[in-house]
Amino acid sequence: MYGTCLDQQLKSIGIFLSAANGQRYIIEFLEIGGVLTLLEILGLKQLKEEAKKESIKLLQIIASSGRKFKEIICESYGVRSIAEFLATSKSEETQEQVQILLDTLGHGNPKYQMQVYKGLIALLKCTSPKAQQLSLQTLRTIQTIVGKAHPSIVGSVLGVLRSLHLEVQYEAIQLIKDLMAYDVQPAILQGLVALLKPSRQETARMQAKILEEAGTLHLMESLPVYIQQAAAAKAIGILAQDSRELAEELLFLNVVHGLMCAMGNKDHTNSQRQASITLEFFVQNFIVVENYVKEAMGEKLFQLFMQDATNLYLNMDAVQADILASNIVNIPADFLARAKMDWPGMFTAGVGHIFLGYVKICTMLKNKEMMGNYGMAFCMALLQRNKNMDLSVKAHHWIVALP
């Protein structure tokens, strides 16, 4: 195992295993413990990267030979060993070979495809940007095979948004878009909105940690929670533009308040920029949002915002930034309060559809407290007035669905 030219020996074995009639060689190789040996090679620190790369290639040949061979690799705790190697490997070329292997193990392997899926989710928490990127790419294909999203994927994919690497953030946002078709959609939307307002305790803790380290010239700009905040604002904008329904659901998670808070983050210009771009979309597409934002910003700041939302952070002063950061906009609460007063304007079809998005979110999250008595009062009034039969029927079904 520790002898010279191990990589050359493994290449020689590969010639036999990949031959046209190589399956009998594969069976013989497995009978003498070949898979266990290859997996052990991946975990040996004394060996060079080239030998481990050849070991991965042999595992690819074995996995490509059929379902039973994939199962043998997985039964030998192969997914764990392969995933750990992907996270620790220093060679991007080798990491790409590992991605191919994991993708192969995830296809045509129903007995262990969930094991591969969970292994990829666990990889999102590693410190290797390339491993994160490759894991996200593979997850997008394996997710369609598995069919149902595991709850643990929510925190993992949102956590990846802290990455300084744009290619990792891009893959994370693409996966988030795919996950909108699964039952984790409400939890992801709620998580994205929550990321727009980092907790003071976490921010202070990370500031203290960075101060202890050397080279803190760009302390605030590199703070992970602020990078995550900017990425969340960008992701929300992409989701809202892709789907009107998602945009309405985000409104009733009070996304406008969070976006304005991010716009007021003087310590991170990219957060300000991304939040401003996303808020511009909501203002342009929802008249009710425009009214609330204009009232909260004031005439002067709102004019600056409408003229050039992308570069607003360059044109506003510290006072205006504080106004944004301390805003108290709460569109859902105001809608509910007006519903309690039986405000006639609430029952127009346009506003009714928006409010219905809130009812739907409450139902999907199974959160009756989130809806509150005001929301229930609105829905009951909507049913009684029967101004729009379609809205009335939907409201009724979602109300009775609440626990």
Side-chain angles (χ1 to χ4, degrees), residues 138-164:
T138 312
L139 267 173
R140 293 186 65 195
T141 59
I142 302 298
Q143 182 65 68
T144 59
I145 298 171
V146 173
K148 186 177 181 181
H150 193 274
S152 64
I153 199 172
V154 177
S156 297
V157 75
L158 292 179
V160 175
L161 294 177
R162 293 188 176 195
S163 175
L164 288 166

Side-chain angles (χ1 to χ4, degrees), residues 60-76:
Q60 287 176 3
I61 295 171
I62 295 169
S64 300
S65 299
R67 173 176 167 179
K68 64 178 181 180
F69 297 106
K70 295 176 185 178
E71 291 179 353
I72 290 172
I73 294 174
C74 294
E75 287 168 357
S76 305

Side-chain angles (χ1 to χ4, degrees), residues 95 126-134 163 165 167-168:
Q95 287 178 312
C126 73
T127 56
S128 168
K130 187 64 176 180
Q132 289 178 324
Q133 180 188 9
L134 296 174
S163 175
H165 300 266
E167 66 275 15
V168 176

Side-chain angles (χ1 to χ4, degrees), residues 177-197:
K177 287 173 64 178
D178 292 348
L179 291 172
M180 291 298 101
Y182 298 88
D183 55 3
V184 294
Q185 180 207 97
I188 290 178
L189 294 180
Q190 196 175 36
L192 286 171
V193 173
L195 292 178
L196 296 174
K197 289 186 66 178

